[in-house]
Amino acid sequence: MQTYAGLAVERGDHLAMAYRLYEGKEHASSYWKYRISPSDHLIQKVLNFLEKQMGHPFELAVDVGCGSGQGTLQLAKHFSSVVGTDVSPAQLEMALQHAKEPNITYRRCVAEELPLADSSVDLMTAMSAFHWFDRPRFLQEAHRVLKPSGCLALLNYTIDMQLSYPDCCSHALNQVCKEFYAALLPYRSGHLGASSIEIYREAFESISYPDKEWQECVWVERPMPLCSYMGLVESFSSYQALLRDDPQKATALSQDIRQRLMSIMRVTSVETEVVVAVKYFYLLACKPEEA
């Protein structure tokens, strides 16, 4: 759950050169409330890959670009200690409010300069974060801090989520959703290119580790109120860019989409639960023993 992109970042706490998003307190609160984290099923795939490489016990996991800490919390039950890192004080403050597990700590730092010893980390994750990093520098840093046989896991999901609701035409629902995503496309960061999948695929191909795995399409269904689906889309960088550029247009767009979805569903409450299908993709890579 990352909140910045580290591009040409200077050393130390001076972050003026970083490409940074999602840092305000209001957005951090929205991020915690609406942003989704990988399912237990996906986390288990990561753990299975790690176990195959180095076995138990799992000692240290680092969740880079942790944002408000949803993914960090998922790791805590599997590792002796977990460190979440992010550049945003507001996001880390939100994460700390929900970090009840004693084995979680949070550190403020950029993704490309982690305050961790060489060869000290069993698992490094970045959940919906890697695309904002200075990617070559981050991959070098991951190589530095991972133990031999330690693993890197980069996970993300696409914006083209699909809705379903009982006794309702899914095609009609998702046509409205597609219009929502299309309206946001002009506000997508040029840094991301046409598709973030391409960013992750290129990273997969660039990693020289012999033991690695690429999965491009894993659908995960999540029940949530319609208002949470709207909040999720509104938390994306493209909607936030529209909101900054033209608040009235952004608000009108959301209101129109919400009303059209409710009309198709024949409901009057935004608290009505829908099922949201989310398309995940991920990259897993194991640092070789001899590295």
Side-chain angles (χ1 to χ4, degrees):
M1 307 277 179
Q2 172 64 0
T3 62
Y4 88 110
L7 301 178
V9 180
E10 297 181 14
R11 298 193 69 86
D13 194 49
H14 181 61
L15 305 175
M17 297 295 290
Y19 182 53
R20 297 159 63 168
L21 299 169
Y22 315 135
E23 288 196 61
K25 287 190 175 183
E26 183 176 340
H27 200 184
S29 177
S30 173
Y31 212 81
W32 169 262
K33 184 175 182 181
Y34 297 119
R35 274 298 176 112
I36 57 176
S37 55
S39 65
D40 290 341
H41 175 68
L42 280 175
I43 292 295
Q44 192 59 52
K45 284 184 175 292
V46 173
L47 297 175
N48 291 344
F49 184 81
L50 177 62
E51 183 176 11
K52 183 175 69 173
Q53 310 303 327
M54 65 186 319
H56 283 94
F58 298 155
E59 295 177 347
L60 175 61
V62 179
D63 185 23
V64 184
C66 65
S68 48
Q70 291 96 319
T72 319
L73 286 171
Q74 287 181 282
L75 297 173
K77 53 191 162 185
H78 302 288
F79 290 82
S80 299
S81 60
V82 180
V83 177
T85 76
D86 205 280
V87 78
S88 166
Q91 290 282 4
L92 291 176
E93 181 181 343
M94 186 62 58
L96 282 165
Q97 290 178 20
H98 298 92
K100 308 303 182 186
E101 288 76 1
N103 62 333
I104 296 179
T105 57
Y106 288 101
R107 302 290 296 273
R108 183 183 178 225
C109 62
V110 297
E112 303 80 5
E113 298 174 13
L114 300 170
L116 300 164
D118 294 358
S119 301
S120 61
V121 175
D122 296 67
L123 175 70
M124 177 180 289
T125 62
M127 308 186 199
S128 302
F130 171 70
H131 45 281
W132 293 120
F133 299 162
D134 179 338
R135 299 184 284 273
R137 286 182 62 203
F138 170 74
L139 292 176
Q140 289 177 353
E141 185 71 341
H143 181 78
R144 179 185 71 81
V145 304
L146 282 173
K147 295 177 180 177
S149 297
C151 295
L152 173 67
L154 307 179
L155 304 91
N156 196 22
Y157 54 92
T158 68
I159 193 175
D160 54 341
M161 299 170 289
Q162 298 181 5
L163 297 188
S164 60
Y165 182 71
D167 302 320
C168 175
C169 177
S170 292
H171 176 77
L173 272 182
N174 288 301
Q175 188 58 43
V176 175
C177 294
K178 288 178 181 178
E179 291 178 31
F180 197 7
Y181 309 146
L184 299 179
L185 188 60
Y187 299 90
R188 179 180 173 85
S189 170
H191 172 76
L192 300 178
S195 169
S196 58
I197 291 180
E198 296 304 319
I199 292 173
Y200 287 73
R201 186 188 291 111
E202 289 173 7
F204 175 77
E205 294 170 352
S206 75
I207 293 172
S208 60
Y209 299 167
D211 198 344
K212 57 185 181 178
E213 180 179 322
W214 168 252
Q215 178 56 255
E216 190 165 312
C217 183
V218 180
W219 286 96
V220 176
E221 291 190 343
R222 293 180 175 274
M224 65 179 71
L226 180 62
C227 58
S228 292
Y229 162 75
M230 295 298 302
L232 172 58
V233 179
E234 290 166 5
S235 76
F236 289 148
S237 59
S238 52
Y239 183 86
Q240 290 295 311
L242 171 58
L243 189 63
R244 289 190 298 271
D245 184 63
D246 191 336
Q248 288 187 330
K249 183 177 179 180
T251 301
L253 173 64
S254 285
Q255 290 177 342
D256 177 63
I257 295 295
R258 185 181 294 109
Q259 289 302 320
R260 290 170 64 191
L261 290 174
M262 291 171 62
S263 176
I264 294 169
M265 293 162 60
R266 298 186 295 277
V267 301
T268 57
S269 172
V270 292
E271 297 295 332
T272 303
E273 188 171 272
V274 296
V275 174
V276 181
V278 185
K279 180 183 175 183
Y280 277 89
F281 52 93
Y282 62 80
L283 175 169
L284 305 175
C286 172
K287 179 178 175 178
E289 280 282 356
E290 64 273 13

